[in-house]
Amino acid sequence: IGLSFTRRRNDTLLGDPEPGGVFTFGGTNTSLYTGDIEFMPVTSNNTYWSLNLSTITVQGHSLSVTTSTNQAAIITGVDDAFWISGPPADVKAIWALVPNSSEIFGSSGEFQFPCSTSVNINISFGGRSWSINPDDMNLGPVNSDSDQCVGGIVYGNATLGSSVHWSLGLPFLKNVYTVLRQNPPSVGFGELSALGA
């Protein structure tokens, strides 16, 4: 299965849900990516398409992900797809590297940062490093008169189960062409083409 998601920002005519993306059964859409797909074997978890995270780079600083909680599910179609979520210790370490960011008081693990700040995140699963567009880290102002914006990485959702601690939703998936392969079980990512981006 090949997956590509559309990024739309600052369009007042958008509906909910809004079409925009391509879901290809039985192959890939080569017009949406360039170069080779980097495939990685899925982890032993049989419930999710999941990989082991190795490194997250934030504002140019590299963070090693906690090994005991590094399993990440690729989330495409549930409420959790709106975020990237992870263990509180790792999420706090990420936001500690973003100047003037803080946990939103009374939230369940959401963070805010100055809207004028570009949050630059890269994720690696042991191979290539995949960049996330700063637009996808900025989920909009905390409220209508705020200069603080909600960040796209939050504390993890316990409903994913005991072995999966991270979920990689649309803030990550909008930036790659994703392939879910049955044989051998693996997840692949490719660089978006001009059309795919």
Side-chain angles (χ1 to χ4, degrees):
I1 299 171
L3 300 164
S4 177
F5 298 94
T6 300
R7 174 186 303 107
R8 289 180 162 176
R9 298 271 302 172
N10 303 319
D11 187 342
T12 58
L13 300 177
L14 292 181
D16 186 20
E18 180 68 25
V22 179
F23 192 8
T24 306
F25 287 95
T28 61
N29 185 331
T30 57
S31 69
L32 298 175
Y33 67 93
T34 62
D36 295 328
I37 302 290
E38 178 187 47
F39 283 99
M40 293 142 294
V42 297
T43 62
S44 59
N45 183 295
N46 293 319
T47 305
Y48 299 96
W49 293 93
S50 55
L51 302 169
N52 288 325
L53 280 173
S54 63
T55 306
I56 297 177
T57 304
V58 183
Q59 308 299 76
H61 301 278
S62 184
L63 291 173
S64 295
V65 179
T66 306
T67 306
S68 62
T69 58
N70 70 342
Q71 199 171 126
I74 306 303
I75 303 293
T76 60
V78 296
D79 290 341
D80 288 339
F82 189 66
W83 310 96
I84 294 173
S85 66
D90 289 332
V91 172
K92 286 178 183 177
I94 289 168
W95 288 110
L97 293 172
V98 177
N100 302 310
S101 66
S102 61
E103 190 167 353
I104 298 173
F105 179 76
S107 76
S108 55
E110 296 174 24
F111 285 76
Q112 62 186 356
F113 63 93
C115 295
S116 59
T117 299
S118 288
V119 178
N120 297 295
I121 305 278
N122 290 50
I123 294 178
S124 174
F125 304 92
R128 292 180 60 183
S129 180
W130 301 98
S131 298
I132 298 175
N133 188 307
D135 283 348
D136 298 317
M137 281 293 102
N138 184 334
L139 301 183
V142 173
N143 56 54
S144 61
D145 61 349
S146 178
D147 62 355
Q148 295 286 302
C149 283
V150 179
I153 301 178
V154 300
Y155 292 163
N157 186 340
T159 61
L160 288 177
S162 59
S163 63
V164 177
H165 298 275
W166 287 88
S167 67
L168 301 179
L170 293 174
F172 173 71
L173 295 174
K174 288 179 186 178
N175 294 279
V176 293
Y177 186 81
T178 304
V179 182
L180 308 177
R181 185 169 68 182
Q182 181 183 10
N183 189 16
S186 50
V187 175
F189 299 118
E191 193 74 36
L192 293 175
S193 66
L195 178 63

